[in-house]
């Protein structure tokens, strides 16, 4: 991700076709170009990311069924749920202990360092800035149901390093509060110098609803504060890169052959559907034939934008301008095995503030692994990977968000290779 973020030519080439038709990507890339032209006031860049995976069923040569890991996407901005996933793991550990449930031999629930790692990533950036009396700014929604998760990160930063002061502020409240100092220091309320700006918001076009929103984002990027993510890291999370770097030979631009091969083994198939390119025309045909199970994705984050399965063909046929095709990528559908599990749901009936425990025979799960990096160009100052998020949703539900009400948070149970999957209620039909 760092290599993509640092490769300006590649960023601009890859997203160049999209900016014709997508205002949001155009605005982000415009800020990126301005910063490149002016020269970065802050050469240190950082990112807290979450790479998401699902299991995919496939057939072995001897016709037995097995599973493999497939990457869904990489979230390079506002990677959430770390505090909730940390608490869910602790709750599961607690319940096993309280009710004296012994895990079967060869199995274990791994420690979940998610929120601690994210807090440490923020502290790494703060320390790199090197001014003990400066602040961390966390940018959030105006009114947020993510508040408890965000507060969990704030609390962890405080527990690890009580000297690091963190301020949470809504994005739309910032225009009157932020300005640049004489050396491009980013000042909050005229007095607080900001060492780190941690974006938990600003990933979706709808977040830029107020008049000075883009100017505010530009002001932050122009400043000396370390941005998490910096604009180039934000852009590196675009789903288009998954399609463009979709095999090991393409990855060898950034990785040695062995690591490129290992990474590419987790990739699903992707197609461009761009017009007037042989590969894009081929991809468009694949989308129309809809013989395969497919997902069509625009360059968006945060749920609710993808087109699944049978909806792909009519959607493609309904695109009014063929230029619009460049903003989408087509992805092979990941066919997850189902599992038996429980979902604790908000009761949608009369008693809307109560919860309901729902036994489901058919849940599918998605695993996210958190990572954080602070770097000066390509020189890595800190690089951490730790902690996980498991989201489980009912089979057949397309979107996978927790806050959006589709999924619940679960924990991992690791099995030694000697233990058979079948004993653990993962099944294939
Ligand atoms: P977003 O940025 O909106 O989170 P994702 O690519 O993560 O976009 O897609 C949202 C959800 O859709 C995922 O959490 C996953 O449950 C489901 N999904 C995405 N891609 C696929 C796929 N190729 N196969 C099956 N499900 C998918
Ligand atoms: Mg996602």
């Amino acid at each position: 991700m760092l290599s993509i973020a640092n490769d300006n030519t590649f960023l601009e080439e890859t997203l160049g076709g999209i900016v014709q038709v997508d205002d949001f990507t155009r605005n982000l890339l415009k800020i990126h170009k301005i910063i490149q032209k002016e020269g970065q006031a802050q050469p240190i860049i950082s990112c807290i990311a979450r790479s998401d995976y699902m299991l995919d069923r496939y057939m072995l040569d001897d016709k037995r069924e097995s599973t493999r890991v497939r990457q869904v996407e990489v979230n390079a901005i506002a990677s959430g749920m770390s505090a909730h996933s940390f608490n869910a793991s602790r709750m599961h550990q607690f319940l096993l202990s309280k009710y004296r449930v012994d895990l079967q031999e060869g199995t274990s629930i791994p420690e979940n360092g998610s929120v601690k790692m994210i807090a440490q990533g923020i502290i790494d950036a703060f320390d790199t800035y090197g001014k003990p009396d400066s602040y961390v700014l966390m940018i959030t929604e105006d009114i947020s149901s993510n508040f408890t998760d965000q507060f969990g990160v704030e609390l962890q930063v405080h527990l690890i390093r009580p000297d690091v002061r963190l301020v949470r502020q809504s994005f739309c409240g910032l225009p009157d509060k932020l300005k640049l100092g004489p050396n491009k220091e980013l000042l909050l309320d005229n007095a607080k110098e900001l060492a780190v700006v941690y974006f938990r918001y600003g990933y979706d076009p709808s977040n830029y609803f107020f008049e000075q929103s883009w100017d505010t984002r530009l002001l932050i990027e122009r400043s000396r504060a370390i941005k998490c993510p910096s604009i180039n890291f934000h852009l590196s999370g675009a789903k288009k890169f998954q399609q463009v770097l979709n095999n090991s030979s393409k990855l060898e631009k950034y990785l040695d052959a062995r690591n490129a091969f290992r990474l590419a083994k987790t990739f699903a198939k992707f197609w461009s559907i761009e017009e007037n390119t042989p590969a894009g025309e081929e991809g468009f045909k694949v989308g129309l034939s809809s013989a395969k199970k497919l997902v069509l994705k625009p360059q968006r984050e945060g749920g609710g934008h993808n087109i699944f399965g049978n909806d792909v063909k009519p959607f493609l046929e309904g695109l009014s301008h063929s230029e619009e095709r460049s903003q989408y990528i087509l992805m092979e559908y990941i066919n997850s095995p189902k599992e038996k599990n429980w979902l604790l749901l908000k009761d949608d009936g009369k008693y809307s503030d109560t919860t309901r425990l729902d036994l489901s025979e058919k849940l599918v799960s998605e695993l996210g692994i958190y990572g954080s990096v602070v770097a000066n160009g390509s020189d890595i100052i800190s690089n951490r990977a730790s902690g996980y998020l498991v989201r489980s949703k009912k089979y057949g539900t397309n979107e996978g968000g927790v806050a959006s009400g589709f999924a619940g948070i679960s924990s991992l149970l690791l099995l030694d290779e000697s233990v058979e999957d079948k004993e653990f209620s993962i099944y294939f039909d």
Side-chain angles (χ1 to χ4, degrees), residues 24 32 90 92 121 128 147 173 176 212 239 259 279 359 368 376 385:
F24 182 61
H32 175 67
R90 289 210 308 182
H92 290 139
T128 307
F147 156 76
D176 298 333
Q212 293 137 295
K239 293 180 170 74
N259 280 323
L359 172 65
N376 186 347

Side-chain angles (χ1 to χ4, degrees), residues 91 342-359 407-408:
M91 178 184 76
W342 296 86
L343 266 179
L344 188 62
L345 297 171
K346 187 170 159 185
D347 199 320
D348 40 15
K350 211 160 95 190
Y351 306 104
S352 59
D353 49 1
T354 63
T355 49
R356 172 166 59 88
L357 195 56
D358 193 12
L359 172 65

Side-chain angles (χ1 to χ4, degrees), residues 2 6 40 42-46 128 233 373-382:
L2 177 65
N6 279 326
Q40 288 168 308
Q42 178 54 267
I44 310 290
I45 59 175
S46 84
T128 307
F233 254 130
V373 64
V374 180
N376 186 347
S378 55
D379 294 336
I380 294 171
I381 296 166
S382 110

Side-chain angles (χ1 to χ4, degrees), residues 44 51 66 131 278 384 397:
I44 310 290
S51 183
S66 186
K131 278 202 176 177
R384 300 175 188 273
T397 313

Side-chain angles (χ1 to χ4, degrees), residues 73 239 297 301-303 306 331-332 334 366 393 398:
E73 63 155 349
K239 293 180 170 74
K297 301 187 179 187
E301 306 283 338
N306 298 337
M331 182 177 182
E332 181 183 22
I334 303 167
E366 183 168 350
K393 63 175 181 180
N398 287 329

Side-chain angles (χ1 to χ4, degrees), residues 92-108:
H92 290 139
Q93 297 274 18
F94 162 73
L95 292 173
L96 289 174
S97 166
K98 174 170 173 171
Y99 294 105
R100 308 272 189 278
V101 179
D102 291 325
L103 290 180
Q104 186 175 322
E105 202 175 317
T107 71
S108 59

Side-chain angles (χ1 to χ4, degrees), residues 133-293:
D133 56 351
S134 57
Y135 289 74
V136 176
L137 171 68
M138 186 193 290
I139 299 184
T140 67
E141 300 88 333
D142 193 16
I143 298 169
S144 172
S145 58
N146 282 329
F147 156 76
T148 49
D149 188 54
Q150 293 160 356
F151 176 69
V153 174
E154 178 177 352
L155 180 64
Q156 271 304 323
V157 169
H158 182 77
L159 290 173
I160 300 172
R161 283 280 297 277
D163 60 303
V164 177
R165 289 172 297 183
L166 189 150
V167 184
R168 256 178 302 126
Q169 278 281 340
S170 68
F171 190 31
C172 63
L174 284 176
D176 298 333
K177 289 172 170 283
L178 284 184
K179 67 170 195 186
L180 291 188
N183 296 311
K184 296 200 175 172
E185 307 91 337
L186 188 60
L187 301 174
L188 181 71
D189 296 329
N190 284 320
K192 297 180 180 122
E193 180 171 346
L194 299 173
V196 181
V197 178
Y198 173 41
F199 287 93
R200 285 299 298 265
Y201 192 61
Y203 53 83
D204 189 77
S206 64
N207 304 166
Y208 294 77
F209 62 93
F210 55 101
E211 208 188 322
Q212 293 137 295
S213 49
W214 285 109
D215 290 343
T216 305
R217 180 80 194 258
L218 177 60
L219 181 89
I220 295 169
E221 296 298 332
R222 273 186 166 138
S223 77
R224 288 189 49 184
I226 298 175
K227 278 72 68 179
C228 181
S230 47
I231 191 88
N232 52 348
F233 254 130
H234 182 176
L235 286 166
S236 77
K239 293 180 170 74
K240 182 73 183 169
F241 290 105
Q242 286 180 275
Q243 176 250 309
V244 172
L245 293 174
N246 191 230
N247 61 49
S248 63
S249 61
K250 288 179 184 163
L251 282 175
E252 280 178 33
K253 186 173 179 196
Y254 301 120
L255 293 171
D256 61 52
R258 181 171 169 271
N259 280 323
F261 177 74
R262 289 175 67 210
L263 185 57
K265 269 174 77 172
T266 68
F267 292 169
K269 269 198 196 132
F270 286 87
W271 298 265
S272 153
I273 58 159
E274 224 162 307
E275 64 165 350
N276 298 334
T277 64
E281 296 301 343
E282 172 66 32
F284 195 69
K285 267 194 222 148
V286 171
L288 288 178
S289 77
S290 60
K292 287 196 182 74
K293 287 184 123 186

